[in-house]
Amino acid sequence: IGLSKSWKRCFKSLLPNAYQSNDSTRMTLAFFTLSALDLLGEGPDKFPAKERNGYRDWILSCQHPITGGFCGSPNHRLPDSAYEGTQNGRKPDFEPASLTATFFAMLNLNFVGSITQANRTGMWKWLKTLQRKDGSFGEMVTAQGEVYGSRDMRICLCAAAVRWMLRLDPSFGERKDDDIDVDALVKHITNSEVCGTGPMTAGKGY
């Protein structure tokens, strides 16, 4: 019971001091909190509908209005009015959506809502822009179109998981042309195996 109360306090009020500086990863912290409550039998299915919908709306408020990906915190996403009238609907280097935040946002939505309530088509197209020519993935894309982030296998995992959760659905206007290059991703992963027989490395450039 004490453990459950501790997780609920983290979820509904202020985080412990050690975590309050991690504002950019609030989406991730929310997932681990929801998961812990679910394992303890006090998950979102036990929340009042109004409360559950409130958490869903908080998650959706973190979706970037231009890229379709999710930001790690509402503080990393400007109001829609900030993007109105800008060239191509974008401003240079404003709180780009993060692949890891998008991964955790989708997991969180499955706790308190549905990923169909998010801008699926935007996410689907945005995911492809995160892939490099060598098949690896970065965490975000700058306004200049540069893929930012290391070639870490954990990022590749997030990309593959987001793709799997989204799935190709023509009813949402999604086309195969907007899909990632799966073969290139597989090649990048296999190329990270040491001498072809040893353990996998974290990825080139990690």
Side-chain angles (χ1 to χ4, degrees):
I1 296 177
L3 187 59
S4 176
K5 286 184 177 180
S6 176
W7 282 109
K8 285 182 179 179
R9 184 168 62 250
C10 290
F11 197 65
K12 296 182 178 182
S13 60
L14 297 176
L15 289 168
N17 290 337
Y19 294 95
Q20 288 182 11
S21 62
N22 297 334
D23 183 74
S24 63
T25 59
R26 282 169 65 185
M27 192 65 70
T28 303
L29 296 175
F31 168 73
F32 286 114
T33 306
L34 284 171
S35 298
L37 289 171
D38 186 59
L39 289 171
L40 293 169
E42 298 290 339
D45 58 315
K46 301 291 181 64
F47 295 174
K50 183 177 181 180
E51 184 177 345
R52 189 167 55 249
N53 291 339
Y55 295 135
R56 177 204 62 199
D57 293 343
W58 177 82
I59 296 167
L60 292 174
S61 74
C62 294
Q63 187 167 32
H64 199 284
I66 304 302
T67 66
F70 282 81
C71 302
S73 162
N75 294 328
H76 288 212
R77 182 217 191 270
L78 295 178
D80 290 349
S81 58
Y83 302 92
E84 295 175 358
T86 61
Q87 184 178 5
N88 298 323
R90 299 186 69 172
K91 281 188 176 181
D93 300 322
F94 269 121
E95 74 298 325
S98 161
L99 180 53
T100 50
T102 301
F103 169 69
F104 285 113
M106 293 181 71
L107 294 178
N108 288 336
L109 279 176
N110 282 313
F111 270 123
V112 297
S114 168
I115 62 172
T116 60
Q117 295 167 305
N119 177 5
R120 285 177 47 100
T121 303
M123 268 191 286
W124 183 263
K125 294 179 178 180
W126 169 74
L127 182 63
K128 183 178 181 178
T129 68
L130 294 170
Q131 189 172 25
R132 302 183 180 93
K133 291 182 179 180
D134 65 0
S136 66
F137 277 81
E139 292 186 67
M140 54 187 67
V141 181
T142 67
Q144 291 73 33
E146 179 184 356
V147 178
Y148 177 82
S150 68
R151 290 167 169 78
D152 193 329
M153 283 299 159
R154 291 170 293 186
I155 306 303
C156 293
L157 169 65
C158 288
V162 168
R163 177 183 182 270
W164 182 83
M165 284 187 279
L166 282 174
R167 297 181 179 87
L168 178 65
D169 190 341
S171 66
F172 283 94
E174 298 161 3
R175 307 178 306 171
K176 288 186 178 180
D177 293 345
D178 296 320
D179 196 4
I180 66 172
D181 189 335
V182 177
D183 291 337
L185 174 59
V186 172
K187 185 176 181 180
H188 169 68
I189 295 172
T190 56
N191 284 344
S192 297
E193 187 174 14
V194 179
C195 300
T197 57
M200 307 297 280
T201 65
K204 296 178 182 177
Y206 177 62

